[in-house]
């Protein structure tokens, strides 16, 4: 397929603008210098990595996943790099070498809002931000927020370790925490230990990942957990896809109820008032624009975890949250890995992450770390 010319590119972006109005990236091409529009992707790499879990939780993390019949001895993902003929390099996480190879010789502008390329889209936006001098958030919104709420994250650790992790999160400036709940742990004992270790403004939601199963068990645990003022929400408490179960829970639990998009019919959940929030795990191109519009139209929240395991992904999620008002929280998990592969720390202050002002993603891939954890 031949690369498209300037006129074709502007026509394509104009067509996208009709379906996703208000995104600055869709009109920036018209005002960009000709060199920016001529930019082409010359090569790219999809680099597999394996990063051990952080030593403080390594043994417990491997054990917890094994109890779910999941062998997860370390964190495995793919780092993306795209290089242009203008000397720019964009980074992302997730996606494939096959997707990159199809993009060689083409303009990164052609892939705006393209869900099909996965995490390569992060690298595309990183390139476009660098080329236009704008942070990614300003490619996606004219007036993005300057700070977002990032949630700390934990597996279903024993109460003492969970309390220690919550205390660490609070000391680092986090004020929201997502905690896994599992049948082999008492969630009330976990809550008691956690809440004793954190400030009163440290808020927690519990993710049962369908393990509680029944409506009755969910009502019992939610009422017990609501006795702890720190707890405010519950995610995926009953059996997957149990629409009647969600109807039975309506108005009977004292916590906000959230579920992953697609587990039950989205419009039924909205129309019947079954959920306060939707968990978003991807993709993050055109789909993310549509989900934000849906959330704002119907007064629902998006809790985003579509790229939560690396420093690259966490910052990209932050740009999305800053640009899309429907996003209430992003969830980050990179702190339980030995390294997040970026040079800049993900610093929280009083419950907020303040976005970088540099063009593009705004963080730098740690090449030494990439070499260290590169998978064979």
């Amino acid at each position: 397929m031949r690369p498209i010319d300037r006129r074709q590119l502007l026509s394509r972006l104009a067509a996208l603008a009709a379906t996703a109005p208000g995104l600055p990236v869709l009109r920036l091409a018209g005002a960009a210098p000709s060199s920016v529009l001529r930019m082409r992707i010359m090569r790219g790499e999809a680099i597999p990595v394996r990063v051990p879990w952080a030593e403080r939780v390594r043994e417990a993390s491997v054990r917890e996943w094994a109890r779910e019949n999941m062998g997860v001895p370390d964190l495995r993902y793919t780092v993306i790099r795209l290089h242009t003929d203008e000397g720019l390099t964009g980074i992302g996480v997730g996606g494939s070498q096959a997707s990159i190879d199809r993009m060689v010789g083409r303009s990164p502008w052609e892939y705006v809002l393209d869900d099909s390329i996965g995490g390569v889209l992060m690298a595309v936006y990183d390139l476009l931000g660098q080329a236009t001098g704008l942070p990614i958030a300003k490619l996606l919104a004219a007036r993005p927020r300057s700070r977002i709420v990032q949630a700390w994250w934990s597996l279903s650790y024993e109460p003492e370790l969970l309390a220690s992790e919550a205390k660490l999160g609070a000391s680092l400036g986090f004020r929201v925490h997502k905690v896994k709940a599992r049948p082999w742990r008492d969630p009330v004992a976990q809550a008691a230990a956690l809440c004793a270790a954190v400030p009163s403004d440290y808020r927690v939601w519990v993710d049962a990942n369908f393990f509680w199963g029944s409506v009755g068990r969910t009502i019992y645990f939610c009422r017990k957990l609501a006795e702890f003022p720190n707890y405010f929400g519950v995610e995926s408490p009953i059996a997957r896809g149990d629409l009647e179960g969600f109807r039975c829970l309506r108005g009977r639990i004292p916590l906000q109820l959230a579920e992953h998009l697609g587990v039950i019919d989205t419009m039924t959940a909205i129309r019947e008032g079954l959920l306060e929030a939707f968990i978003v795990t991807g993709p993050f191109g055109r789909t993310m624009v549509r989900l934000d519009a849906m959330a704002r139209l119907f007064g629902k929240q998006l809790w985003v975890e579509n790229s939560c395991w690396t420093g690259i992904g966490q910052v990209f999620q932050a740009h999305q949250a800053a640009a899309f008002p429907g996003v209430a929280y992003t969830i980050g998990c990179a702190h339980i890995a030995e390294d997040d592969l970026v040079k800049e720390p993900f610093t929280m202050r009083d419950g907020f992450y303040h976005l970088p002002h540099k063009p593009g993603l705004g963080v730098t891939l740690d090449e030494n770390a990439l070499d260290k954890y590169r998978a064979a």
Side-chain angles (χ1 to χ4, degrees), residues 179-202:
V179 173
K180 296 286 188 180
R182 294 297 182 262
W184 51 87
R185 303 279 184 216
D186 178 357
V188 180
Q190 289 176 313
L194 186 157
C195 293
V198 297
S200 59
D201 64 346
Y202 192 86

Side-chain angles (χ1 to χ4, degrees), residues 266-267 270-271 278 292-301:
T266 301
M267 292 313 299
I270 290 172
R271 185 173 57 252
F278 293 94
D292 174 63
M294 177 201 74
R296 290 185 287 117
L297 178 62
F298 295 108
K300 301 300 179 181
Q301 294 182 353

